[in-house]
Amino acid sequence: MINNNVMLVEGNRLYLEQLSNIIRETETVTLVARFRDAKDALGQGMVFTPNIILLDADTPNIMNLLEEFHQAYPHADIICTGEKWSAESSSLYVNAGAKCFLVKPFSSEELLDAIFAFSKPATGGKEAKVMTFFSPKGKSGKTTLIANLAMAISRKTNASVGIIDADLQFGDMAFFFNLKPQSTIVEAARDTDFLSPVSLNSYFVPVTKNVSILCGTKEPSLIDKVSIHSLETIIDMARTMFQYVLIDVPAGFNPTSIAAAEMADTTYIVTMLNGGYEVQHIQRSLDIFSTWPDYRERVKIILTRVEPCTITAKQEMEEIIGYPVAGIIPNAYLDVATAADDGRMALDLKPNSPLSQRINYLAGKITKKKQDNDDDF
Ligand SMILES: Nc1ncnc2c1ncn2[C@@H]1O[C@H](COP(=O)(O)OP(=O)(O)OP(=O)(O)O)[C@@H](O)[C@H]1O
Ligand SMILES: [Mg+2]
């Protein structure tokens, strides 16, 4: 077993005591040295050969210190600690070589999670691709699509995928996966001030080795507990935790869907083709998104329940809408309903069905891996 020999560098005397005790209580971890002064740690810590350094980031000159610690301890993993996580400073630390950021005071579990996080398929310091799935109206098949797509992406790439159910009143992701989560987006939002990406991880429920879900509220009235600011912080943290993040939002333009769309690299407008006013809905949505100067790169269209689901149907719709269509999903009520009854993914139940093919195709486009099919729609 690998020895976790920790050196604690902490300027605050009270934290030094408190964190020392927590480290001592943590199994598989040994506190080999502790210093209040970072310069002392640089000079004297070497003899203790730490392989993990907890470095107080609330000290002046932290960026220079990080560099000096790296040179002095090239084989140690450095975890920055601080009183509050922020996207900007944390990414600076990580870019400067820190492995992650922990909010003080952390628990034994959080410390172990942080150490364990090093050994997971890393995001390689790169930020996730964040995708928001927006629909002008409800019942477009958006939740079903997100769940299956997340699975397809993780299978194709072995990448880590996070789903955030921000459909704050009537989020269905927990039902979809048959989960009874201990913690949801409500608890995560409540705790954002004390969380870092490492600790937020425990609020996500793993459904496979690489796919985890932050479930939606348990009751519609809890929507008030999730502020837009906390949702934005959660998305910012998730960006550093996964390689792909898929966000489900309530139908229509509302503060939640707008905030999630603004934070996403790609926003998919998901609309069911039902012979109604869908084309107008898409066009009106595009009008609103067109206030973004780069909306043509960031906004993509997915049509669901397309019948017949052919390249000709896709091209016809592109002409009518006047905008490219990124993907089409067939009408496959029986497949999705049978899968739901079975507690399984439509993708698993019928891997070669037109529905699975179209979802795999979209996953291929998102991950830019070679497509499964010869056809290109
Ligand atoms: N491709 C599809 N073909 C036919 N039926 C589908 C398809 N995808 C989903 N459905 C069915 O449509 C209904 C709505 O699906 P889903 O919950 O995924 O949509 P949604 O857009 O998330 O809805 P909501 O607005 O309630 O969040 C479900 O009964 C589901 O089984
Ligand atoms: Mg839904």
Side-chain angles (χ1 to χ4, degrees), residues 143 167 172 248:
T143 301
D167 185 351
D172 295 328
D248 200 354

Side-chain angles (χ1 to χ4, degrees), residues 130-135 140-154 161-167 171-174 176-177 207 211-214 244-251 260 266-270 302 304 329 336 345-347 355 359-360 362-363 366:
V130 177
M131 292 162 276
T132 291
F133 292 77
F134 167 89
S135 57
S140 61
K142 178 161 59 77
T143 301
T144 309
L145 172 67
I146 294 171
N148 281 282
L149 195 54
M151 291 296 182
I153 290 173
S154 96
V161 182
I163 298 176
I164 298 175
D165 188 351
D167 185 351
D172 295 328
M173 215 43 97
F176 197 95
F177 284 95
V207 286
V211 181
S212 313
I213 301 175
L214 184 60
Y244 296 91
V245 175
L246 288 77
I247 310 174
D248 200 354
V249 294
T266 308
T267 293
Y268 288 98
I269 301 179
V270 184
I302 298 176
T304 63
I329 305 291
V336 288
M345 290 281 123
L347 207 62
L355 177 76
I359 288 173
N360 280 323
L362 256 179
I366 289 167

Side-chain angles (χ1 to χ4, degrees), residues 83-85 103-104 110 182-197 199-203 214 225-227 229-231 233-234 237:
E83 288 200 315
K84 194 160 171 21
W85 183 87
V103 176
K104 292 183 285 206
E110 283 167 344
Q182 298 270 323
S183 54
T184 67
I185 195 163
V186 174
E187 289 74 32
R190 179 195 64 197
D191 299 346
T192 42
D193 278 354
F194 318 104
L195 290 177
S196 66
S199 38
L200 177 64
N201 203 30
S202 64
Y203 293 66
L214 184 60
K225 306 275 180 209
V226 185
S227 69
H229 175 68
S230 56
L231 174 66
T233 310
I234 290 170
M237 287 189 191

Side-chain angles (χ1 to χ4, degrees), residues 129-351:
K129 189 165 184 173
V130 177
M131 292 162 276
T132 291
F133 292 77
F134 167 89
S135 57
K137 293 255 179 161
K139 293 283 167 276
S140 61
K142 178 161 59 77
T143 301
T144 309
L145 172 67
I146 294 171
N148 281 282
L149 195 54
M151 291 296 182
I153 290 173
S154 96
R155 279 183 203 161
K156 241 178 223 306
T157 57
N158 218 3
S160 57
V161 182
I163 298 176
I164 298 175
D165 188 351
D167 185 351
L168 294 177
Q169 282 198 299
F170 296 105
D172 295 328
M173 215 43 97
F175 296 124
F176 197 95
F177 284 95
N178 233 333
L179 303 173
K180 294 205 170 56
Q182 298 270 323
S183 54
T184 67
I185 195 163
V186 174
E187 289 74 32
R190 179 195 64 197
D191 299 346
T192 42
D193 278 354
F194 318 104
L195 290 177
S196 66
V198 170
S199 38
L200 177 64
N201 203 30
S202 64
Y203 293 66
F204 279 74
V205 184
V207 286
T208 66
K209 188 165 128 281
N210 288 331
V211 181
S212 313
I213 301 175
L214 184 60
C215 293
T217 54
K218 286 181 181 156
E219 287 167 34
S221 61
L222 292 172
I223 183 174
D224 293 342
K225 306 275 180 209
V226 185
S227 69
I228 295 300
H229 175 68
S230 56
L231 174 66
E232 287 170 345
T233 310
I234 290 170
I235 297 172
D236 259 338
M237 287 189 191
R239 200 188 281 285
T240 69
M241 296 159 58
F242 302 99
Q243 283 154 292
Y244 296 91
V245 175
L246 288 77
I247 310 174
D248 200 354
V249 294
F253 283 99
N254 47 65
T256 314
S257 63
I258 293 168
E262 283 189 338
M263 295 200 72
D265 303 292
T266 308
T267 293
Y268 288 98
I269 301 179
V270 184
T271 313
M272 156 179 69
L273 279 192
N274 206 19
Y277 301 108
E278 293 84 14
V279 170
Q280 284 92 321
H281 298 160
I282 296 174
Q283 281 164 337
R284 276 146 66 185
S285 304
L286 281 172
D287 275 351
I288 294 179
F289 286 122
S290 70
T291 54
W292 296 345
D294 52 351
Y295 84 103
R296 284 209 154 251
E297 286 93 66
R298 283 173 62 195
V299 180
K300 298 187 189 270
I301 295 174
I302 298 176
L303 303 173
T304 63
R305 305 205 204 176
V306 180
E307 227 172 0
C309 194
T310 59
I311 187 150
T312 320
K314 176 177 174 265
Q315 286 163 346
E316 274 173 22
M317 287 312 295
E318 286 179 331
E319 248 173 63
I320 296 171
I321 302 167
Y323 198 88
V325 170
I328 50 175
I329 305 291
N331 191 357
Y333 182 74
L334 214 58
D335 286 354
V336 288
T338 320
D341 286 348
D342 225 22
R344 294 173 66 188
M345 290 281 123
L347 207 62
D348 290 334
L349 214 58
K350 282 198 186 169

